[in-house]
Amino acid sequence: MSETDIPNTGPRKVCVIGWPVEHSRSPTIHNTWLKRHGIEGEYTKLAVKPEELLDTLRYLPNLGFRGANVTVPHKEAAFEALQPFVDAPAERLQAVNTMYRDPDTGDIRGTNTDGAGFWTHLKHSVPGFNGKTAVVLGAGGAARAIVDVLETEGRMKVRLVNRTVARAASMVADIEAKATVYGWEQLSAALEGADLLVNTTTLGMEGQAPLEIDLAPLPDHAVVYDIVYVPLETPLLAQARARGLAVIDGLGMLLWQAAPGFAKWFGVEVDAEDVAAARALIEADLKNTGLKNKENN
Ligand code: ATR
């Protein structure tokens, strides 16, 4: 793929590639921002089966796309396909969620903005946050990005708690993290003195069992962050709020992970007001449907 393949006139087209992709919130986010900034552009969904991914990525410029988001189940295959044009976060996570054209070389490059989305939302929600120790619950795809950004950007010590300890241990090895692994039964000990608790498990999502944990070992200044966003206030956040702890819901992570892609494709850094505008639309939509409920473009 080269610069010359990419159209330089007409509306700037970007898409989200997934399978299934119909419930993606990304078009709402990007089209809201395009409108607010008066940019002639279009952000659409592209339903692509796993066996069609490589061809789709190859022909993306010919289809008129300037860039794309990549979501489940394609993030790892996109990472492989874009070698060696991936940046450090994508390399560490072995997964790509954002593709864009390098303005200098014309190469199509891949990055991963999931961790950045998590971290930016944290910094906006708790200005001046300077915690040293984090407890992360869960060891799925979202946890990988979160543990990585907590260690690299946040320079925090991470205690990773998962029901299946072996899965957590192999995740730590995969992303070359320094996190200490704890079993679920060691949760109380892990919470002792922690400045931040993050839930990345599916517990607490609508239709799933609540996450029932005793928050007593957390210090009073601790922040509790749940990346589940349906419901917006999970039982964990309600419990933390009742104890007077600062709480952060999961919707901002989804919104802020979109910001770096928008900047690359359209040249505009969105601000908190842009994010709030897109958030209001998604919140209204969630009240109607409540379909997708954890981070993912
Ligand atoms: P992601 O969407 O982040 O990729 P996932 O891969 O579906 O998420 O992972 C779900 C996480 O929730 C896992 O850490 C899982 O624990 P296991 O690795 O032990 O399976 C966790 N999880 C799901 N149900 C759980 C339960 N009932 N109790 C504790 N943890 C649970």
Side-chain angles (χ1 to χ4, degrees):
M1 284 180 278
S2 73
E3 187 166 10
T4 51
D5 297 328
I6 300 175
N8 283 318
T9 54
R12 299 186 220 184
K13 281 172 58 179
V14 177
C15 61
V16 53
I17 299 170
W19 184 262
V21 77
E22 65 202 86
H23 302 307
S24 171
R25 309 285 183 200
S26 291
T28 304
I29 299 171
H30 290 286
N31 288 319
T32 301
W33 294 344
L34 285 169
K35 211 165 151 191
R36 283 175 66 83
H37 291 278
I39 298 167
E40 195 192 353
E42 187 185 18
Y43 187 107
T44 53
K45 298 174 200 172
L46 209 57
V48 175
K49 293 181 187 152
E51 61 271 26
E52 297 166 348
L53 180 68
L54 289 184
D55 278 344
T56 305
L57 296 186
R58 192 168 299 130
Y59 292 112
L60 217 50
N62 303 72
L63 295 169
F65 289 105
R66 301 289 183 105
N69 281 127
V70 181
T71 189
V72 176
H74 300 316
K75 293 183 188 185
E76 291 76 17
F79 168 78
E80 296 296 338
L82 288 171
Q83 292 298 326
F85 301 109
V86 295
D87 68 359
E91 186 72 54
R92 288 195 302 271
L93 299 172
Q94 309 267 296
V96 157
N97 79 341
T98 302
M99 292 169 55
Y100 62 96
R101 185 176 57 114
D102 186 315
D104 298 323
T105 64
D107 297 320
I108 302 293
R109 304 190 67 91
T111 183
N112 194 309
T113 65
D114 286 335
F118 170 88
W119 186 247
T120 309
H121 182 39
L122 171 60
K123 299 293 266 187
H124 276 271
S125 305
V126 184
F129 177 79
N130 191 26
K132 301 281 178 269
T133 304
V135 174
V136 175
L137 308 178
R144 290 168 80 96
I146 289 167
V147 169
D148 182 63
V149 80
L150 287 172
E151 290 191 352
T152 57
E153 284 287 319
R155 308 200 172 280
M156 297 184 77
K157 283 198 168 30
V158 177
R159 300 169 181 166
L160 179 60
V161 182
N162 200 42
R163 178 178 59 179
T164 313
V165 170
R167 188 176 182 205
S170 76
M171 183 195 109
V172 168
D174 270 3
I175 63 169
E176 296 180 7
K178 299 190 187 78
T180 313
V181 173
Y182 291 72
W184 207 253
E185 68 291 345
Q186 296 164 294
L187 179 58
S188 271
L191 292 176
E192 231 25 272
D195 306 298
L196 173 68
L197 168 64
V198 186
N199 174 46
T200 79
T201 74
T202 45
L203 296 171
M205 269 186 200
E206 203 163 276
Q208 302 277 336
L211 177 57
E212 280 171 338
I213 61 178
D214 179 8
L215 297 178
L218 280 178
D220 289 342
H221 70 266
V223 176
V224 178
Y225 191 154
D226 199 334
I227 71 161
V228 170
Y229 62 81
V230 177
L232 268 177
E233 177 154 288
T234 59
L236 171 68
L237 293 188
Q239 188 189 343
R241 195 190 294 281
R243 213 203 106 178
L245 303 177
V247 298
I248 306 179
D249 69 47
L251 192 47
M253 176 179 176
L254 174 76
L255 290 152
W256 281 111
Q257 66 75 32
F262 194 84
K264 298 253 188 240
W265 306 318
F266 304 115
V268 172
E269 303 272 350
V270 297
D271 61 16
E273 284 181 23
D274 293 315
V275 168
R279 184 182 169 108
L281 289 177
I282 296 177
E283 276 192 34
D285 189 43
L286 286 175
K287 284 199 181 102
N288 295 331
T289 60
L291 279 170
K292 182 67 179 125
N293 35 26
K294 232 172 84 172
E295 70 76 43
N296 262 325
N297 334 82

